Amino acid sequence: MAQTANQPERAVHQYDLALWSVIQGRILSLRQDPTHLHYRAVFPVRPAALPSPPPSASPSLVDSAAEKEDDTEDLVRRYFNLTTNLTELYEQWSSADSNFKRKAPKFTGVRILRQDAWEALVGFIYSLPFYDFPPASALVDPSVEAHLRQLGFGYRAKFLHQTALMIVQDRPANWLDQLRNPESPSPGYMTKPAGDMKAGGREGYREAHEQLLELQGVGPKVADCICLFGLGWGEAVPVDTH
């Protein structure tokens, strides 16, 4: 958003940036200074369909995403979890863990991302480079595993293909989102209480963790990573077996 003399300064606004990532169908560049997180969104430009008969002039390019309302600011706030009060969380964690209390001052401002659940699942099975995420349905073709191996995914190619098959063919529609913490819902859904915190986490977290373990390539640590980063269960603590 552009800032004018009549507008108050806002915490997130557009700027010329250098750090790039692809999030939800757009290239997002970011820069942080001591008071603001600046962003710029670049949407894909796709050629318009050729009319019949074709005109003598070349067809113009139409940015279909830009024609829609730009929701990038809401996306940035949600994806980087900017509405969470970190001061209160740091105080709570410091009171519960002396080791965290000693080390927390060196790592201020660390936030847990609110990723798409499918993106988090695939990302923790195998990290991807600078591409937008394909849906699970794009990975179910029998040729996918061999193609992923050619791209360098190694033994994880089988995990990704089989996980996509399980989600598309063996699970209800929106199965991953149904495992999400209702206090951190998908875009467009209202927040709901997630129940009382218990030893070992809330019931919804424990259920999500157990169901994720049924997927190929997902062990206890990866399941906790997905619960934390993709499903919004803050009590998940991924622990490396090593």
Side-chain angles (χ1 to χ4, degrees):
M1 76 201 74
Q3 181 185 351
T4 69
N6 296 325
Q7 290 179 316
E9 197 168 44
R10 300 175 72 174
V12 182
H13 57 88
Q14 289 179 319
Y15 204 81
D16 292 325
L17 313 162
L19 179 62
W20 298 82
S21 182
V22 178
I23 303 176
Q24 294 190 8
R26 75 206 73 191
I27 297 177
L28 190 65
S29 55
L30 301 161
R31 182 176 66 83
Q32 185 175 5
D33 63 27
T35 59
H36 291 82
L37 176 63
H38 309 274
Y39 77 86
R40 168 181 282 180
V42 180
F43 292 89
V45 178
R46 300 182 177 89
L50 285 173
S52 182
S56 57
S58 299
S60 60
L61 296 180
V62 176
D63 187 346
S64 59
E67 292 179 347
K68 303 177 182 177
E69 182 179 356
D70 187 356
D71 62 347
T72 304
E73 182 177 348
D74 289 338
L75 170 63
V76 170
R77 292 184 185 277
R78 182 176 65 252
Y79 191 83
F80 291 101
N81 205 2
L82 299 182
T83 58
T84 299
N85 189 320
L86 282 185
T87 300
E88 293 180 357
L89 284 178
Y90 270 49
E91 291 175 351
Q92 177 185 342
W93 295 334
S94 295
S95 64
D97 187 280
S98 58
N99 187 47
F100 181 88
K101 184 176 182 179
R102 290 194 303 271
K103 296 181 178 180
K106 299 179 181 179
F107 302 100
T108 58
V110 176
R111 294 180 181 271
I112 301 300
L113 298 180
R114 288 183 178 176
Q115 292 177 283
D116 173 77
W118 168 246
E119 176 183 339
L121 172 60
V122 174
F124 281 105
I125 292 178
Y126 189 90
S127 299
L128 295 175
F130 198 65
Y131 298 99
D132 202 7
F133 250 77
S137 58
L139 302 180
V140 300
D141 189 272
S143 64
V144 164
E145 181 180 343
H147 184 60
L148 291 177
R149 288 184 182 276
Q150 292 176 356
L151 294 176
F153 282 70
Y155 68 91
R156 297 181 178 88
K158 181 178 180 180
F159 295 157
L160 294 177
H161 177 55
Q162 292 182 346
T163 294
L165 283 172
M166 293 177 70
I167 290 177
V168 173
Q169 298 180 359
D170 301 334
R171 297 295 188 274
N174 300 320
W175 170 72
L176 274 174
D177 277 334
Q178 292 172 8
L179 302 180
R180 182 181 292 277
N181 181 353
E183 294 176 354
S184 180
S186 299
Y189 289 86
M190 300 292 293
T191 59
K192 298 179 181 179
D196 297 331
M197 185 67 72
K198 301 178 181 179
R202 287 165 287 189
E203 181 178 351
Y205 156 66
R206 297 196 301 271
E207 177 65 22
H209 190 272
E210 288 301 315
Q211 291 197 40
L212 289 168
L213 290 176
E214 299 175 2
L215 301 176
Q216 291 290 322
V218 177
K221 177 193 172 182
V222 170
D224 269 330
C225 288
I226 300 164
C227 284
L228 180 61
F229 294 98
L231 299 176
W233 293 106
E235 59 263 50
V237 181
V239 178
D240 194 283
T241 57
H242 304 291

